[in-house]
Amino acid sequence: SGYRCGGIIGFCNFDDYISSTGSVSDCYNIGVISGTYTAGIVGYYDAYSSKYGNNLKIKHCYNRGALSGTLGKCSIASFNDCAPLVSYCYYLEGLGTIQSGVTELNEQMMLDVKAYIGFDFEDVWVIDEDCAHPYPQFKNNRQTNDIRAEKIELKTLPKTEYYINDNFSTEGGVLVVTLVDGTVIEVPLSEAELSETILTKVGNQTITVTYRAAKTTFDVTVIERPFGGAEYTELWTVDDLYNIRNNLSGNYLLMNDLDLTEATSIDGKYDFMDNGWNPIGSNNRYSDSAFSGIFDGNGYEISGLRIDVKTVPSGTNTMHLGLFAYVTGTVKNLTVSGSIKSSVAKDKRVGAISGYTTGTITNCHSYCDITVSNGIDYVGGIVGYMYDSAKAVVSLCSNNNSVTSN
């Protein structure tokens, strides 16, 4: 980029005191040119007077590189009042302005030898339709000898979901390439040319992949960082979920569906006193060690929850039964399925997400069968007992199974 930029020459000058001539011939540009005055071949020609306007002759050139200029974007050459003498030059349509002696070609015409009147295809130029660069190139200095691709397809995608300001990666991406001679090869995505990826803005974008002149696309999604960029713990396993009780003020992000069926079955790893799941914050007595952090279910489901309280641990008064015992923080974006039962003679506060809350429960959904009896019981599909309604929030939640208190 700069003030006067050209694909071949940046600035060309002939003044009133030098009666000389120059020429630019048999050149091409396929690169992107950015600046104030830009052109495919000569960035700026300055002859100072009409007397020397035709001293520069440009012929047998073409441009198919994109131009970005604030004052001038000329297909072949930008200039002051005195234009150079241009003949037999060509450019891809849309890339610059039409000039005298310059012909605009569409993509298909740029592949055709017959379109380039004046070009020497005997000794200087060649077009190889099977080449990865199927446009005019020099016989003695080819762009590439690679065979052109007929089509490309993504066999496996790279990472397609990013947090804002992440670094884009092609790792894992594999292209299946069908060449014009029928050969099929596989290449890593890193060997292809990719359009610009902008991971500084939330939303979806389409990435264009180019390999040996063939193209395909794939989409990536950019999302906000969870918890506003604060520290958090990823939950991948049932063990990870269970261990939340060791830090009830932390931030947690569920990374996949979890099935508690085996862990909470009789004699399972997390079968508490044969009663099944020991709620998070239960303090081993179904009581009131509150979860004060943020739990983001990330749209996933925790299935196989089993709570069947037949034996009450010592020191238990009112029982808080659910995935969480007591929530003062936030639980969101979570689905829970399974069953919760208790017929012991204790007062109970029972909900699939939390038995008791003074916090926020949002976008949570229950498929739990809940049945309790034999006490002063407060039972809900999502939350059993919500206290301090000025601060507590339950929103965008649904219950999809039976809730029974006898």
Side-chain angles (χ1 to χ4, degrees):
S1 64
Y3 187 59
R4 296 179 170 102
C5 299
I8 303 299
I9 298 171
F11 181 78
C12 183
N13 172 246
F14 292 98
D15 61 31
D16 284 336
Y17 306 102
I18 303 174
S19 180
S20 57
T21 61
S23 68
V24 179
S25 63
D26 296 301
C27 297
Y28 69 94
N29 171 64
I30 58 174
V32 176
I33 310 300
S34 302
T36 304
Y37 292 95
T38 59
I41 303 298
V42 177
Y44 196 83
Y45 172 58
D46 192 350
Y48 283 105
S49 75
S50 58
K51 180 178 180 181
Y52 302 112
N54 290 335
N55 279 6
L56 177 65
K57 296 176 173 58
I58 304 173
K59 61 181 180 180
H60 308 151
C61 298
Y62 79 88
N63 174 60
R64 65 181 318 274
L67 305 174
S68 175
T70 56
L71 294 180
K73 293 185 291 184
C74 297
S75 55
I76 296 297
S78 61
F79 53 89
N80 63 2
D81 294 335
C82 309
L85 181 62
V86 181
S87 59
Y88 303 117
C89 290
Y90 306 88
Y91 73 102
L92 178 62
E93 62 180 350
L95 300 182
T97 57
I98 296 176
Q99 298 180 267
S100 176
V102 183
T103 302
E104 182 183 69
L105 303 178
N106 62 31
E107 182 67 32
Q108 191 60 40
M109 293 169 68
M110 291 209 81
L111 304 173
D112 188 356
V113 170
K114 297 176 183 177
Y116 297 91
I117 298 171
F119 275 39
D120 181 357
F121 282 99
E122 291 292 329
D123 299 315
V124 179
W125 298 92
V126 64
I127 288 182
D128 184 351
E129 64 181 14
D130 291 335
C131 177
H133 179 84
Y135 312 101
Q137 56 185 312
F138 301 128
K139 275 193 170 184
N140 296 326
N141 186 17
R142 295 196 177 204
Q143 279 280 330
T144 176
N145 289 316
D146 291 339
I147 298 174
R148 181 171 59 86
E150 182 70 28
K151 68 175 182 177
I152 58 174
E153 299 174 296
L154 277 159
K155 179 180 180 180
T156 58
L157 286 166
K159 180 180 177 182
T160 57
E161 185 170 286
Y162 294 86
Y163 292 128
I164 192 168
N165 295 322
D166 273 354
N167 293 319
F168 179 77
S169 173
T170 59
E171 184 176 355
V174 176
L175 286 173
V176 177
V177 181
T178 303
L179 304 177
V180 292
D181 65 359
T183 303
V184 178
I185 60 175
E186 291 187 6
V187 296
L189 183 60
S190 58
E191 293 186 10
E193 176 187 343
L194 273 65
S195 60
E196 184 179 12
T197 54
I198 303 173
L199 304 185
T200 58
K201 186 165 58 175
V202 171
N204 299 321
Q205 60 182 284
T206 299
I207 308 299
T208 301
V209 182
T210 305
Y211 184 78
R212 298 196 183 184
K215 298 180 185 296
T216 190
T217 62
F218 66 96
D219 294 331
V220 299
T221 302
V222 181
I223 60 176
E224 293 284 2
R225 291 187 178 277
F227 311 103
E231 274 190 36
Y232 65 95
T233 299
E234 294 181 350
L235 306 176
W236 293 91
T237 67
V238 173
D239 291 342
D240 294 338
L241 178 69
Y242 186 85
N243 288 330
I244 290 176
R245 67 197 66 231
N246 298 326
N247 178 14
L248 292 172
S249 62
N251 298 324
Y252 299 93
L253 183 67
L254 190 60
M255 303 304 294
N256 45 243
D257 293 333
L258 294 179
D259 187 352
L260 303 183
T261 302
E262 182 178 350
T264 62
S265 63
I266 297 294
D267 295 328
K269 184 174 183 179
Y270 296 122
D271 177 25
F272 178 59
M273 300 177 65
D274 290 339
N275 295 340
W277 178 253
N278 187 11
I280 298 167
S282 160
N283 202 24
N284 292 332
R285 53 190 175 89
Y286 299 119
S287 192
D288 54 0
S289 293
F291 175 73
S292 59
I294 300 173
F295 181 98
D296 187 346
N298 205 17
Y300 291 111
E301 178 179 358
I302 295 174
S303 61
L305 174 69
R306 183 184 76 89
I307 299 175
D308 187 2
V309 181
K310 299 178 288 292
T311 304
V312 180
S314 177
T316 298
N317 293 312
T318 299
M319 295 196 303
H320 300 156
L321 303 180
L323 181 68
F324 293 83
Y326 178 16
V327 172
T328 61
T330 297
V331 179
K332 60 184 179 179
N333 307 325
L334 177 64
T335 297
V336 177
S337 61
S339 67
I340 303 175
K341 300 177 184 178
S342 178
S343 59
V344 297
K346 286 285 184 180
D347 296 342
K348 295 173 282 292
R349 297 164 180 176
V350 184
I353 302 299
S354 181
Y356 185 77
T357 186
T358 60
T360 298
I361 312 290
T362 186
N363 192 29
C364 290
H365 311 279
S366 171
Y367 289 82
C368 286
D369 181 7
I370 301 174
T371 304
V372 297
S373 61
N374 201 10
I376 299 175
D377 302 328
Y378 302 94
V379 189
I382 300 297
V383 173
Y385 192 110
M386 183 172 77
Y387 182 70
D388 194 358
S389 58
K391 296 179 181 177
V393 174
V394 175
S395 65
L396 300 174
C397 295
S398 70
N399 175 61
N400 303 274
N401 211 329
S402 60
V403 177
T404 306
S405 177
N406 298 317

